[in-house]
Amino acid sequence: MRFFDAQNPVERLALAVGVEADRQRPMPQLQREEAVRQILQTAADAGVSRVATKPEGDGERLLGLGWPFPSPFRVSVRTVPVNDGVDRAEARARRSLEHMGLPRGDTVLVQAATDLVGEDGRALWARLQGLKDRGLFRRIGFIASIEDSPAVLARRFRPDVVQLPCNVLDQRAVSTGILDQLAEQDVAVHLSSVFAKGLLFSAMETLPPEMGRMVPQLSRIRRRLAEARVDPMQAALSYTLRQEGVECVIAKVHSAAQLRAIIAASHAPCPDMDWKALSLEANAVSSRFGVVAA
């Protein structure tokens, strides 16, 4: 399996649409609907063909109101946690399609690999396999962290898709060989957290106090990028889009203007960088700080 194609980077982008970037100044409902519509139309015009969703708030309903016609998008959805039972997890996956006005979806993902290793894991997986067999979803898979040993879990469940966090600051999916191991199993990989939850862009003084020890490393990384005249967004996208064995890279967008910037950055020539020099030390990367959260 080889998904990497440097000639068509936009075709490997997936969008996670969220229009409430500023919770202190929420948009009026009609404005939110229009913002989503503009994002989707901008994506369709640019050739972006994938959308990744979460079963939270009214995001799926807004997507259903905003699809261009005919819709060019392949949509992936997540299950809700299996704590409330496999019946609810299955029903909510079906409802995601209903909220978006779709007869079927591309992929349904178990929202966390830990749901599969619990006592209901096999039953949950069987329910998703049933949805696939009935044609409601083309593929099934799961979302995992590096600590979940996703390649080992993939050998056990044989998913079509695995979603992992990966970015220039947290390169463990590459350095540990996980991407190669999943490719060997013919598993499609979706990368999330590609912008490191904003760490490449946030002002140092706004970082949480717990991250104080990371500030010198972040400063050095930003200085390297500045000296190479590489925009952080360009670096983030170049690093993830160049990885072989990756089907798509998920970028969260809040506006059509932001999406246009992402598209432009994805088309920029891949900089000649020492990528390993941009990685934070493994012991400095913690999901508590949002760097590796899926």
Side-chain angles (χ1 to χ4, degrees):
M1 179 180 293
R2 188 177 188 275
F3 293 105
F4 176 59
D5 186 350
Q7 301 303 315
N8 300 288
V10 170
E11 293 182 4
R12 299 178 66 236
L13 284 177
L15 304 184
V17 179
V19 295
E20 289 289 5
D22 189 346
R23 296 182 181 276
Q24 295 183 348
R25 293 182 297 174
M27 290 184 182
Q29 186 65 20
L30 290 178
Q31 188 176 345
R32 294 180 69 220
E33 293 175 6
E34 180 59 25
V36 171
R37 190 174 293 111
Q38 290 180 9
I39 290 171
L40 293 174
Q41 189 61 59
T42 300
D45 291 344
V48 179
S49 62
R50 300 177 188 273
V51 173
T53 72
K54 293 182 180 181
E56 299 174 357
D58 62 351
E60 292 172 337
R61 188 188 66 81
L62 289 173
L63 288 171
L65 293 172
W67 301 125
F69 184 81
S71 173
F73 298 109
R74 288 168 284 178
V75 178
S76 66
V77 308
R78 300 184 182 195
T79 63
V80 293
V82 76
N83 298 347
D84 294 331
V86 293
D87 288 341
R88 181 173 182 271
E90 179 187 6
R92 188 60 182 82
R94 291 173 177 270
R95 196 168 303 125
S96 289
L97 296 179
E98 295 172 3
H99 288 170
M100 292 184 285
L102 300 175
R104 62 190 60 85
D106 182 79
T107 307
V108 57
L109 299 169
V110 175
Q111 61 95 30
T114 51
D115 282 354
L116 290 178
V117 299
E119 61 181 12
D120 292 324
R122 281 293 183 184
L124 174 61
W125 193 252
R127 293 295 186 93
L128 299 190
Q129 185 65 56
L131 295 179
K132 177 182 176 181
D133 292 343
R134 289 191 289 275
L136 289 179
F137 293 94
R138 188 170 67 90
R139 303 183 296 179
I140 61 176
F142 59 82
I143 298 171
S145 67
I146 304 302
E147 293 80 4
D148 292 321
S149 300
V152 174
L153 206 57
R155 281 192 288 272
R156 179 180 173 188
F157 285 93
R158 300 186 180 279
D160 302 302
V161 178
V162 170
Q163 181 175 312
L164 295 170
C166 183
N167 53 70
V168 292
L169 300 182
D170 180 9
Q171 302 179 13
R172 292 175 297 163
V174 178
S175 62
T176 60
I178 289 175
L179 294 187
D180 292 335
Q181 293 166 30
L182 290 172
E184 290 171 359
Q185 298 180 59
D186 203 31
V187 176
V189 175
H190 295 182
L191 297 185
S192 62
S193 300
V194 296
F195 296 131
K197 301 300 183 183
L199 282 183
L200 280 173
F201 315 98
S202 302
M204 295 299 181
E205 58 271 16
T206 66
L207 296 177
E210 303 96 321
M211 298 186 65
R213 63 193 180 93
M214 298 172 66
V215 169
Q217 291 186 76
L218 283 170
S219 296
R220 286 193 294 271
I221 290 169
R222 291 185 180 185
R223 186 164 59 250
R224 283 178 179 271
L225 292 174
E227 290 170 352
R229 298 183 179 180
V230 176
D231 179 78
M233 181 180 290
Q234 180 188 354
L237 290 169
S238 292
Y239 177 74
T240 49
L241 287 170
R242 68 190 285 272
Q243 300 301 329
E244 294 192 12
V246 171
E247 182 177 76
C248 72
V249 169
I250 302 170
K252 188 167 186 178
V253 295
H254 302 290
S255 68
Q258 184 185 34
L259 175 56
R260 286 191 288 271
I262 289 172
I263 291 169
S266 70
H267 277 297
C270 182
D272 183 14
M273 299 289 299
D274 178 2
W275 295 107
K276 291 182 179 180
L278 302 182
S279 175
L280 291 173
E281 294 177 1
N283 61 10
V285 180
S286 168
S287 59
R288 287 187 304 151
F289 305 139
V291 180
V292 299

